[in-house]
Amino acid sequence: MKATIRDVAKLANVSISTVSRVLNAPDMVVRSKRERVLEAIAELNYSPNALARGLIHRRTRTLGVLFPDISNLFYSEVLAGMESAAYESDNNLIICNTDNNIDRKRAILKVLDEKQIDGLILTSEPVLPDDQAMIAKLACPVVLAATHSPDYAIASVKVDEEQAAYDAAAYLIGLGHVRIGMISGLADDPISGGPRIRGFIRALEDHGLQSDPERCIEYGSYRFEHSYEAMKKLHAKYPDMTAVFASGDERALAAISYLHENRIRIPEQVSVIGFDNTRMAGMCFPKLTTVAQPLYDIGYLSVVKLLRLINGEPVDDLRTIVPHSIVERDSVAAPGKRI
Amino acid sequence: MKATIRDVAKLANVSISTVSRVLNAPDMVVRSKRERVLEAIAELNYSPNALARGLIHRRTRTLGVLFPDISNLFYSEVLAGMESAAYESDNNLIICNTDNNIDRKRAILKVLDEKQIDGLILTSEPVLPDDQAMIAKLACPVVLAATHSPDYAIASVKVDEEQAAYDAAAYLIGLGHVRIGMISGLADDPISGGPRIRGFIRALEDHGLQSDPERCIEYGSYRFEHSYEAMKKLHAKYPDMTAVFASGDERALAAISYLHENRIRIPEQVSVIGFDNTRMAGMCFPKLTTVAQPLYDIGYLSVVKLLRLINGEPVDDLRTIVPHSIVERDSVAAPGKRI
DNA sequence: GATGAGTTTGAAAAGCTTTTCAGAAAAGAT
DNA sequence: ATCTTTTCTGAAAAGCTTTTCAAACTCATC
């Protein structure tokens, strides 16, 4: 049986108020008593009950985090950043997996609400009207990580997807590539789809290159197998392309696998640039050149922002844009170049 | 301001006991009142406060999980299994990252204890006397996932590392390999070190092969860069080996990178077998043959086991061994074979 | 219409802590 | 030694729910 503050009070022969003060405002209690209390605490291995505390303070120092798929490297790195920020600020994270399932999400949100989380972070998933309704019922602030809501005024932290995609394409173009394909998420995917496609196309158009989506883009989920098939189709319909922009590192790895299997040399014959810069990017062969999202920072900053909102502090901007960058490794080279 | 049970009671014009009963034992309250209460609940968007509930029931339906490094794919898959089991049993997971830091671990355990978690899962890390002391102070059951404690009677779920390593080596031997190297964790690492090394050596000895650790094993952390260096050294001191057993997929990818960069063909010239079967194994080139640990299951079963302990139900065995298997992909072939 | 059994309800305690408020003790001033 | 201030301390309320217990009610039976 865990010791309670009563037990400590009894053992130290003081009132429970005094024990409480020793814990929360030690200077208020006279030294002799304080020491007796401290001894009693040690002897009973007492630790205060956070439930009771939370009940009074109306604060649990616990945040909820929803992921569509935690087993994805992308999210684990975001999570790592969140966990650090939470630890540094004395908060804990309850992690839930939504599986992209609206009913499951609803159930989770209900429980988290009951558990009195101080704030919630939603990761990657688009905010549909349904979500918005559920969020609105919540009694706590919400931050979106690696996604944002154009329609509702919800705080968010993410990169500028369109610009990042533009930069990826522009980078390839700068190296001299003129026939560039893309493996993309579905066009209606508000993160890895739409904006990245627009950025990609815009870059091609700005440089007067072939930019017909029918020809130079293939779509598929982020899953390796789907991306592999997408690469296969893309290569079939655009055989003379010299570079591929894969909207996600997992897609890039699938492209690389396809090229290897068809004995097409990377980057000599075809360059591949990825997106995300997950840890896998440095572990494949050739090492992947990719558009880096600061995944850890996105996680870290979402928690920081959420904490601000919880504390009623001002946040400078509702939608935080974090910088992306291109990490040059070995999967991209100028077209036709021997290495 | 969140509505409380009082507010509901007032609006429905009943006592709070009645509201509570509508929630917990609806049949006890007469229909007319029940409906009035339900309406009030809906109108006020009331949801019961889990802190107050937890205080009474002495149960929070919240479990703590400690990882040494969440951003590792290995752990994210274990985590996915845990999360499923937790969701199915109406529990939540508080995830913490220890960074292998004892002080941090101590701080985390203190907070989790205060938050009245019902149970704790420790992942991968060895249980040192210090840990044991901290665990003993906890008021809740503990399960070790992907690790175990030979010294203390703590429940655990993991594969038989030694046998798995033995099987990996035996598999290579069965294909005709006679000069086999290993990239290992440090010898004193109780998981990816010691047991796997012993299994590996035993397999070699059982078949009368070169098994001098000085010659055929290199050590290093699981980090890619360290493993790359280890592979480099191993290859230097054992240039005629035809197969490598990498104790972990990340190590295997490093080995593969090294071989690619030195234009050594895989598996024609050197076969590589990994360990873990993380998702990366299917995304590299060539696809990695590896000893599969059922990562998801390890996570899932640890939670199931923990729940048993929490409920005071019997567990059949303190140390659960889950089955491993060899997943054959493309990185291993018979020595000298053309593909 | 009274009695009894069974159902339904509300008051109050319990679960553990923090915080307010007022009283007690100590310290200081005269 | 007395009175004021200041410092400490304890009792009690509050935070929200569940649960026990006893009271009130319903309904059937005689």
Side-chain angles (χ1 to χ4, degrees):
Chain A
M1 210 61 204
K2 278 182 103 163
T4 73
I5 199 171
R6 303 204 96 77
D7 302 324
V8 176
K10 195 169 296 172
L11 183 60
N13 203 27
V14 295
S15 75
I16 59 171
S17 331
T18 301
V19 177
S20 176
R21 274 187 280 257
V22 170
L23 257 28
N24 301 300
D27 300 336
M28 285 187 79
V29 6
V30 81
R31 181 145 148 204
S32 61
K33 287 196 183 170
R34 195 192 327 156
E35 287 177 351
R36 248 159 54 210
V37 170
L38 256 13
E39 276 171 29
I41 287 177
E43 172 153 355
L44 296 173
N45 184 30
Y46 167 76
S47 71
N49 186 321
L51 298 182
R53 279 189 162 170
L55 211 42
I56 291 180
H57 289 139
R58 289 198 185 67
R59 173 142 188 193
T60 54
R61 307 202 77 84
T62 303
L63 312 176
V65 186
L66 264 51
F67 290 102
D69 171 18
I70 342 174
S71 69
N72 194 133
L73 198 42
F74 178 92
Y75 297 113
S76 16
E77 298 190 19
V78 173
L79 173 54
M82 292 178 180
E83 209 280 336
S84 287
Y87 177 73
E88 289 170 13
S89 61
D90 273 320
N91 284 90
N92 287 115
L93 259 29
I94 292 185
I95 308 297
C96 299
N97 210 146
T98 65
D99 269 340
N100 273 312
N101 174 333
I102 181 82
D103 290 323
R104 182 158 175 166
K105 205 189 287 190
R106 195 187 314 278
I108 291 170
L109 251 26
K110 182 166 185 304
V111 174
L112 293 183
D113 192 35
E114 291 182 359
K115 291 200 174 170
Q116 314 293 120
I117 52 167
D118 297 332
L120 177 74
I121 299 185
L122 257 31
T123 323
S124 274
E125 308 182 39
V127 180
L128 305 174
D130 266 359
D131 299 286
Q132 162 60 14
M134 284 167 4
I135 292 174
K137 281 195 179 178
L138 253 38
C140 64
V142 176
V143 168
L144 307 175
T147 182
H148 79 305
S149 168
D151 305 328
Y152 309 104
I154 308 178
S156 56
V157 179
K158 70 190 289 288
V159 298
D160 182 338
E161 309 282 346
E162 180 171 342
Q163 189 58 44
Y166 184 99
D167 292 349
Y171 171 74
L172 296 172
I173 295 167
L175 287 170
H177 291 277
V178 293
R179 290 179 307 278
I180 306 174
M182 173 176 185
I183 308 180
S184 167
L186 273 355
D188 61 353
D189 177 331
I191 300 167
S192 81
R196 294 190 194 166
I197 294 172
R198 282 197 298 279
F200 175 71
I201 302 269
R202 186 160 59 83
L204 297 183
E205 285 174 350
D206 281 1
H207 295 82
L209 301 180
Q210 159 73 272
S211 68
D212 176 16
E214 290 294 316
R215 179 165 174 85
C216 61
I217 304 186
E218 268 298 329
Y219 308 86
S221 89
Y222 73 94
R223 288 272 162 188
F224 186 88
E225 298 73 21
H226 296 171
S227 308
Y228 184 93
E229 287 306 313
M231 179 63 192
K232 190 175 190 169
K233 284 191 209 147
L234 180 63
H235 189 245
K237 75 183 182 187
Y238 202 179
D240 55 344
M241 72 183 173
T242 61
V244 184
F245 167 43
S247 171
D249 287 350
E250 197 159 333
R251 291 191 177 97
L253 292 192
I256 286 180
S257 266
Y258 174 84
L259 294 169
H260 275 314
E261 284 175 18
N262 291 277
R263 307 204 186 279
I264 297 167
R265 289 194 312 287
I266 312 161
E268 292 86 341
Q269 293 174 271
V270 173
S271 287
V272 177
I273 187 167
F275 200 110
D276 291 345
N277 194 33
T278 55
R279 269 167 50 186
M280 278 188 300
M283 299 188 201
C284 54
F285 182 84
K287 290 192 171 60
L288 189 64
T289 291
T290 192
V291 180
Q293 294 200 56
L295 300 176
Y296 182 95
D297 295 349
I298 289 176
Y300 192 97
L301 292 175
S302 331
V303 167
V304 169
K305 192 164 191 174
L306 183 56
L307 258 17
R308 279 242 161 72
L309 293 172
I310 291 170
N311 296 329
E313 296 165 18
V315 291
D316 9 307
D317 44 358
L318 190 66
R319 297 177 234 268
T320 305
I321 299 294
V322 291
H324 59 270
S325 63
I326 291 178
V327 175
E328 299 184 284
R329 295 201 185 85
D330 310 326
S331 67
V332 171
K337 182 168 175 187
R338 302 264 126 188
I339 294 193
Chain B
M1 209 61 203
K2 278 182 102 161
T4 73
I5 200 171
R6 305 203 94 76
D7 302 324
V8 176
K10 195 168 296 172
L11 183 59
N13 202 28
V14 296
S15 75
I16 59 172
S17 330
T18 301
V19 177
S20 175
R21 274 186 280 258
V22 169
L23 258 27
N24 301 299
D27 299 336
M28 285 187 79
V29 5
V30 82
R31 182 147 146 202
S32 59
K33 285 195 186 171
R34 196 193 324 157
E35 286 176 351
R36 249 162 50 212
V37 170
L38 256 13
E39 275 170 30
I41 288 177
E43 172 153 353
L44 295 173
N45 185 28
Y46 167 76
S47 71
N49 185 321
L51 299 182
R53 281 190 160 168
L55 212 44
I56 291 179
H57 289 139
R58 287 197 185 68
R59 173 142 188 193
T60 53
R61 307 202 78 82
T62 303
L63 312 175
V65 186
L66 264 51
F67 290 101
D69 172 19
I70 343 174
S71 69
N72 193 134
L73 198 42
F74 179 92
Y75 297 113
S76 18
E77 299 191 20
V78 173
L79 173 55
M82 292 178 178
E83 208 280 335
S84 287
Y87 178 74
E88 289 170 14
S89 61
D90 274 320
N91 283 90
N92 287 114
L93 260 27
I94 292 185
I95 308 298
C96 299
N97 210 144
T98 65
D99 270 340
N100 273 313
N101 173 334
I102 181 81
D103 290 322
R104 182 157 176 166
K105 205 189 289 190
R106 195 187 313 279
I108 291 170
L109 250 26
K110 181 165 186 306
V111 174
L112 292 183
D113 193 36
E114 292 182 358
K115 291 200 174 169
Q116 314 294 119
I117 52 167
D118 296 332
L120 177 74
I121 299 185
L122 257 31
T123 321
S124 274
E125 307 181 39
V127 181
L128 304 174
D130 266 358
D131 299 287
Q132 162 60 14
M134 282 165 9
I135 291 174
K137 280 196 179 177
L138 253 38
C140 66
V142 176
V143 168
L144 308 175
T147 181
H148 79 305
S149 168
D151 306 328
Y152 309 104
I154 309 178
S156 56
V157 179
K158 69 189 290 289
V159 298
D160 181 338
E161 309 283 347
E162 180 171 343
Q163 189 58 45
Y166 185 98
D167 292 350
Y171 171 75
L172 295 172
I173 295 168
L175 286 171
H177 291 277
V178 294
R179 291 179 305 279
I180 307 175
M182 174 176 183
I183 308 180
S184 167
L186 273 355
D188 60 354
D189 178 331
I191 300 166
S192 81
R196 294 189 193 166
I197 293 172
R198 282 197 298 280
F200 176 71
I201 301 272
R202 187 159 59 83
L204 297 183
E205 284 175 350
D206 280 1
H207 295 83
L209 300 182
Q210 159 74 272
S211 67
D212 176 15
E214 289 294 317
R215 178 164 176 86
C216 61
I217 305 186
E218 268 297 330
Y219 308 87
S221 88
Y222 73 94
R223 288 271 161 188
F224 186 88
E225 298 73 22
H226 294 171
S227 307
Y228 184 92
E229 286 306 313
M231 179 63 192
K232 190 174 190 170
K233 283 191 208 148
L234 179 63
H235 189 245
K237 75 183 182 186
Y238 202 0
D240 55 345
M241 72 181 171
T242 60
V244 184
F245 167 42
S247 172
D249 287 349
E250 196 158 332
R251 291 190 177 97
L253 292 192
I256 287 179
S257 267
Y258 174 83
L259 295 169
H260 276 314
E261 285 176 20
N262 290 277
R263 308 204 186 279
I264 298 167
R265 289 194 313 284
I266 313 161
E268 292 85 342
Q269 295 174 270
V270 173
S271 287
V272 177
I273 187 167
F275 200 111
D276 292 344
N277 195 33
T278 55
R279 272 166 51 185
M280 278 186 300
M283 298 188 201
C284 54
F285 182 83
K287 290 193 172 61
L288 189 65
T289 290
T290 191
V291 180
Q293 295 199 56
L295 299 176
Y296 182 94
D297 295 350
I298 289 176
Y300 192 97
L301 292 174
S302 331
V303 168
V304 169
K305 192 164 193 173
L306 182 58
L307 257 18
R308 280 240 162 73
L309 293 173
I310 291 171
N311 295 328
E313 295 165 18
V315 291
D316 9 307
D317 44 356
L318 190 66
R319 297 177 235 266
T320 306
I321 298 294
V322 291
H324 59 271
S325 63
I326 291 179
V327 176
E328 299 183 284
R329 294 201 184 87
D330 310 327
S331 66
V332 171
K337 182 170 176 187
R338 303 263 125 188
I339 292 193

